[in-house]
Amino acid sequence: MLASKIWANSADSHFVEPADLFANALPASLADRMPKSEKFDGYEILTVDGKQFKRNMPKPNAGMVSMGEAVNARAPGANNPQLRLKDLDNEGIWAELTFPSIGIWASSIDDPVLVNAGVMALNDWAHEYIAGASPRLLPTASLSMLSIEDAVSEVERTAALGFRAVFMPTGTPDSVKQYHYDDWEPLWAAIEAANMVLSFHIGTEPVSADKQTGVAFRGPGGAVLNHSVNTFGGQTCVMQMVASGALDRHPSLKVLVAEGGATWGPFVGDRMNEAYRQHGAYVRRQLSKLPKQFIYEQVYASFQHDESAVAAMQHMGWQNVVWGSDYPHLEGTFGHTQKTLHELFDDVPDYVRKRVTVGAFNELFPGLGEPPADENPPEET
Ligand code: MN
């Protein structure tokens, strides 16, 4: 039996932004065009830059007014850094990488000027309220997906503020080239030069505001289908970065896929190696190493509950398996973090537990310090 309390870093957590963030940060002419939600009995009207979308919602008597309010009711620290730190101490989480929660608007706005103003306001807020609250909280910088030039300058601006990671969606808007095209080269170069981690969070493919994010299937089994297929976008982003040679050209660039599990790393690497070898005659981007090696050296992946993820590190040689709590989301471990950590790590060697809970995260974000020592450390055997 391990120490009674296991400490871990989290490579996948979220803040819930205040509803008045844009009104407080932007001139009214821009703030008025940012997404707004008006709630009615059983539905909401979402207004995004003059376009209105009606979306069905659970009725308030179902105990939930909106997803955001449900999250806040469940975990009051979701948008209060001081309460959050108490939650983290209770749960045994030390440092966390935090992603935004407002996701819909970024892909529902067609105006690059408006999007850029929005991400700058969001990043300024995250810098002040998240990073400013504790060195344990690392916010990710959001970027415009409509202008690579704007994205590059926001990387440089947020790096100067102290951000250590960018958040990018697991897919590009229809009007923009996909990640395997060289159009993105200046952004990869800027992220690498800024020494920031390129973080893809799963389930963030752009959809218009009239579609619900994460709903690919309806009907029998829909909930399980939607959660399960939700993970594939992150793997595709990694395949694009490897196959196009982006990671080859930027050997210091580190990529994190958050929330998508981790056992896929070895499998996707095998699959890509097979393609590279067996279809060699058709391979148009020659690489200096086999694809799997880029995944093993430059790609990291976070999981929360997956029973097989630790084995990817212990038995398949992928050192970059990282744990994440997904606080405060429903898929996450809030309320049962210690139970989950014990189930994952009670029966594995110390070096494996330390690598997955702390070491791989600290390799991405060096200098954060170590979590408190485990309470009641196990006796030497
Ligand atoms: Mn997450």
Side-chain angles (χ1 to χ4, degrees):
M1 187 64 188
L2 275 179
S4 60
K5 186 168 191 171
I6 299 175
W7 282 89
N9 293 324
S10 167
D12 169 32
S13 298
H14 297 263
F15 250 90
V16 178
E17 305 88 338
D20 57 1
L21 189 156
F22 297 116
N24 289 340
L26 295 173
S29 59
L30 291 176
D32 289 347
R33 296 167 60 198
M34 297 306 280
K36 271 182 288 293
S37 168
E38 288 177 282
K39 295 177 180 69
F40 301 92
D41 188 21
Y43 67 97
E44 73 174 335
I45 300 284
L46 193 67
T47 309
V48 184
D49 198 13
K51 291 174 287 189
Q52 286 204 324
F53 306 98
K54 182 180 171 182
R55 305 204 306 170
N56 291 329
M57 289 201 317
K59 297 195 178 194
N61 64 10
M64 187 165 86
V65 176
S66 72
M67 214 42 167
E69 286 173 41
V71 164
N72 288 350
R74 182 168 170 266
N79 58 3
N80 179 321
Q82 300 316 321
L83 295 177
R84 184 185 193 92
L85 288 165
K86 282 185 193 159
D87 279 347
L88 299 188
D89 285 342
N90 287 337
E91 298 282 308
I93 297 165
W94 184 244
E96 47 169 30
L97 184 68
T98 56
F99 290 87
S101 293
I102 299 174
I104 296 164
W105 60 274
S107 53
S108 303
I109 295 172
D110 305 320
D111 176 357
V113 174
L114 187 62
V115 164
N116 200 44
V119 295
M120 289 175 79
L122 181 57
N123 293 337
D124 284 341
W125 173 83
H127 174 61
E128 189 177 343
Y129 288 95
I130 301 176
S134 166
R136 289 163 62 184
L137 306 178
L138 299 179
T140 50
S142 296
L143 304 175
S144 168
M145 288 293 106
L146 296 180
S147 159
I148 289 168
E149 205 182 336
D150 286 345
V152 166
S153 38
E154 190 61 1
V155 164
E156 291 166 353
R157 191 182 79 89
T158 52
L161 289 174
F163 282 77
R164 303 182 67 177
V166 299
F167 156 58
M168 295 188 67
T170 43
T172 47
D174 288 343
S175 62
V176 170
K177 287 275 185 64
Q178 291 174 298
Y179 291 132
H180 57 293
Y181 285 94
D182 292 344
D183 304 56
W184 291 94
E185 198 56 24
L187 184 60
W188 308 150
I191 296 169
E192 183 185 39
N195 213 9
M196 290 167 98
V197 173
L198 199 186
S199 321
F200 294 105
H201 189 289
I202 64 151
T204 52
E205 289 84 353
V207 292
S208 64
D210 59 330
K211 305 269 194 318
Q212 270 181 281
T213 50
V215 180
F217 296 93
R218 295 188 183 279
V224 173
L225 286 169
N226 286 327
H227 183 74
S228 303
V229 300
N230 205 15
T231 188
F232 295 134
Q235 301 170 25
T236 304
C237 291
V238 166
M239 290 187 238
Q240 289 173 320
M241 305 269 324
V242 171
S244 68
L247 293 189
D248 203 357
R249 292 188 295 279
H250 301 284
S252 304
L253 185 59
K254 289 192 162 46
V255 173
L256 166 71
V257 176
E259 205 187 303
T263 325
W264 60 266
F267 161 73
V268 165
D270 289 344
R271 182 83 185 165
M272 293 189 78
N273 278 6
E274 184 177 66
Y276 194 80
R277 187 180 62 237
Q278 307 299 117
H279 294 173
Y282 310 102
V283 170
R284 288 289 175 269
R285 266 301 151 85
Q286 295 298 314
L287 304 174
S288 66
K289 292 177 279 201
L290 284 171
K292 189 176 181 180
Q293 208 171 333
F294 291 102
I295 296 178
Y296 272 44
E297 290 174 8
Q298 288 171 257
V299 178
Y300 296 67
S302 89
F303 74 103
Q304 49 275 17
H305 295 107
D306 303 20
E307 292 170 13
S308 59
V310 176
M313 187 256 149
Q314 188 178 359
H315 299 299
M316 299 179 208
W318 193 25
Q319 297 301 305
N320 300 340
V321 174
V322 196
W323 188 78
S325 69
D326 201 26
Y327 177 92
H329 287 171
L330 293 173
E331 298 84 2
T333 65
F334 178 56
H336 61 266
T337 300
Q338 285 302 308
K339 180 172 179 285
T340 300
L341 291 173
H342 277 285
E343 285 167 0
L344 290 168
F345 297 109
D346 273 355
D347 297 324
V348 303
D350 267 5
Y351 79 94
V352 173
R353 170 173 57 93
K354 286 182 175 162
R355 175 71 191 176
V356 175
T357 55
V358 177
F361 184 96
N362 283 0
E363 194 168 276
L364 290 172
F365 306 107
L368 276 181
E370 297 284 326
D374 295 331
E375 290 164 20
N376 310 319
E379 288 171 25
E380 297 291 333
T381 49

